[in-house]
Amino acid sequence: MTKPKVADLLNEPGCEHNHKKGENGKNKACTQQAKPGAAQGGCAFDGASIALVPITDAAHLVHGPIACAGNSWGSRGSLSSDATLYQLGFTTDISENDIIMGCEKKLYRAIAQIIDRYNPAAVFVYSTCVTALIGDDLDAVCKAAKAKFNTPIIPVHSPGFVGSKNLGNRLAGEALLDHVIGTAEPEYTTPYDINLIGEYNIAGELWGVLPLFEKVGIRVLSKISGDATYGEICYAHRAKLNVMICSKALVNVGRKMEERYGIPYIEESFYGIADMNRCLRNVAAKFGDRALQDRVEEVIAEETEKLNIALAPYRQRLKGKRMVLYTGGVKSWSIVSAAQDLGMEVAATSTKKSTEEDKAKIKELLGKDGIMLSKGNAQELLRVIEKTNADMLVAGGRNQYTALKARVPFLDINQERHNPYAGYVGLVEMAKEFDRVLHSPIWEQVRQPAPWE
Amino acid sequence: MATITRSKKPVAVNPLKQSPPLGAALAFLGLKGIVPLFHGSQGCTAFAKVLLVRHFREAIPLATTAMTEVSTVLGGEDNIEQAILTLVEKAQPQLLGLLTTGLMETRGDDMHGILKSIRQRHPELDGLPIIFASTPDYKGALQEGYAAAVQAIVTTDYGTPETTEVDPKQVTILAGSLLGPGDVAEIKEIVAAFGLTPLMIPDLSESVDGHLDDDYNSITPGGTSLQELQQLARSRFTIVMGESLRPSAIALQEKFGTEFAVFPNLAGLSAVDAFLWQLAQLASPTPQIPAKYQRQRRQLQDAILDTHFYLGGKKVAVALEPDLLYQTATMLQQMGIEIQSAITTYKSPILKELPCENVLIGDLEDLEDVATGADLIITNSQGKRLADKLHIPLYRMGYPIYDRLGNGSRCLVGYRGTMQFLFDLGNIFIELGH
């Protein structure tokens, strides 16, 4: 990865973070480096994997020592409706000897063997810190292998030490822009073709949303990259509209596709009634087709009615329950909106990774008493929960034990979770989970002192 | 006697291995008031943390020196210094466990020199032992990293204790990576039952055993304490559990003159017999076995009788790290089970002692290729996919185990743990109607 490219991605103009630059002309959130002495989130390689591994019929080969793939393979929550190749862990597992002798030949042979045995639609090759440091020429090896085996071999320049998970997402996006998008044509196109970008089908969330698009007559041409085939990403450039879901992470893909192919993009969320409604309406409005807009209104009316019946018992039980929300970016407000749909209150939410635009929305949603958390280590979260007298913590898996060990009810909202919360059906699922967690009889037991205490 | 072959493939498919730094961090987690600190990029820590959190279902304190591309080129001294000072300020640890990663070993930071100069600049760190282990990702796997950390724990200087007089009751137990927290708890109970005081290196049974504390911990809530580490010189004997820790026992012998015995396995009737007999001899000139264990031994013999109908003649494919593979395969063989195939992560002197013809240093793709025809597969949770594909039941052992509860308390060693293991396997075959 060349330095200028990383700097470009950090200054991505499509990213709202960059509209409020600090004194030195650089934004804070995107260039944020991990600090020594803390436990930090994932690295750029982690971020690149999150964005690309959901491509189900590709092989994902990690070029590095065992830590990068060995400690992480097979643990992503993206589901597939068909191919399972993406679930396998491939790594060159380089040894001391490889480092001394150079590992490019090994990498080439690794690609050859994967193609021979697994016949993948494509091979994504990820560089890591060690192979970047010793200067392996990833591009050259991938190019040679591609020519020899007549299979797309995509280099992903994602050594962990270039930055955070977020930057890794964008590096993955660059790989798609440089090597994949625009390399094939779809069988046919329709006037209502869209791409969904930045939705990874965690716990099968997409499957709660795709039927809605189908119902109103919108075709999802390519998913980038939840439950995607390699082939569908190749022809993503033929869509009429890019819908960016719940993430600034792949915003470079949306912006550059606009530049290169003239495809406009909009940013939407699938969480909660209000957001799901808005998403469908905005997509229809972009097409400007009256009939389509009418169909959207019909579907919204129908779904809302069904939803009101399904949610009625939960709304009663969840009314007035208070949560502290700790998550990133768009989710910091989209989940707020979903919670309010259920009659719950958000006492505090995180704004650590939020843009100014996100923050404005949060302020509007929370009202004057809502607390915006700019930092959130475990102790800080527990302090806020205590101070606000909140009933539960809603956060990513990393904070699960922060809450549980403090005997505080917890719901996982991030990528490792097992329940789909997107779309109308997802909201019912979320309500069920809130109810189950908050009204469990266990809390009394774990808080109960022993008779001799 | 087994022949050892090494996979010649240029690519590992579905790795069986985890990284040595992860193993080292695990060993450090068995000390009280510690934070393991990874010298590498933030991802090295994040991946290890996620794996350990999911396995133990516990908050796991791990920290990173957060090396970037630029700091890697310049060298890691500043980052290490800043990380240590931050941890001392925020978490007030009693011990620090510092370990390297592939990135920093490739770069070649002079760790001893760096630590020396940090200590010179910061005399306030004088009371804080920093245990340093070199664990490049590209050399070995979890077990090797764990062993390197144990070696570092026993060779670090913890200051002069008040007395170095040998305590006739104190026995150092080097607990290898083949033992989980529940196993360690069982071993401690057994040793104490003989009137001896076990000094566990490390003690996972008090940190990642799964218990609810009153306060939030940003350091390990339990484990072997600094005060206990200062008593290492006073042990009258070292018992080594797992061949991989033999070098640590040798180091203790060189440092303090402590004699040792290696027990490569702690499960199965004869292995447990040998361990208990050793304890009895250490405890008294007229060795005696507590009634409780005499009883348990008879229970185990009965369990062996009851389960042999279901286990005898079965073929089992096993993919585990060398020490755990040896313990498991030996026990299976003693029940009349055939080791249909054996896969492991890295070379070890114990491998040639395995009760099977061949052992392959390989991955789970290799296991998939050879396991057809086995009645049971024993490996970590990552074996689920191949077990389903081959329609062979899976018994989970090793790291990581994501899809079973109770990894903090599960015990498969001692007479009791062996019984549990036999019942677990027997029940699988009963369920299948075999």
Side-chain angles (χ1 to χ4, degrees), chain B residues 410-431:
Chain B
R410 184 187 195 202
C411 169
L412 299 175
V413 299
Y415 293 133
R416 227 161 39 132
T418 304
M419 257 191 293
Q420 186 62 51
F421 180 73
L422 297 180
F423 293 149
D424 284 352
L425 296 199
N427 285 335
I428 290 174
F429 291 123
I430 288 176
E431 187 79 30

Side-chain angles (χ1 to χ4, degrees), chain A residues 236-242 253-265 286:
Chain A
H237 62 300
R238 293 302 178 203
K240 308 294 187 295
L241 178 67
N242 276 330
V253 175
R255 194 182 55 77
K256 289 187 180 167
M257 283 179 79
E258 186 169 39
E259 259 173 38
R260 288 183 198 177
Y261 310 108
I263 306 172
Y265 68 92
K286 273 281 171 189

Side-chain angles (χ1 to χ4, degrees), chain A residues 251-303:
Chain A
V251 69
N252 55 325
V253 175
R255 194 182 55 77
K256 289 187 180 167
M257 283 179 79
E258 186 169 39
E259 259 173 38
R260 288 183 198 177
Y261 310 108
I263 306 172
Y265 68 92
I266 54 175
E267 293 175 36
E268 299 296 337
S269 152
F270 292 153
Y271 296 117
I273 307 175
D275 286 7
M276 194 61 230
N277 291 354
R278 185 166 46 230
C279 170
L280 291 174
R281 283 183 179 132
N282 287 351
V283 171
K286 273 281 171 189
F287 285 110
D289 178 318
R290 196 64 241 170
L292 178 62
Q293 284 173 301
D294 289 346
R295 283 199 300 278
V296 162
E297 291 308 322
E298 274 168 39
V299 166
I300 288 176
E302 192 185 312
E303 293 289 340

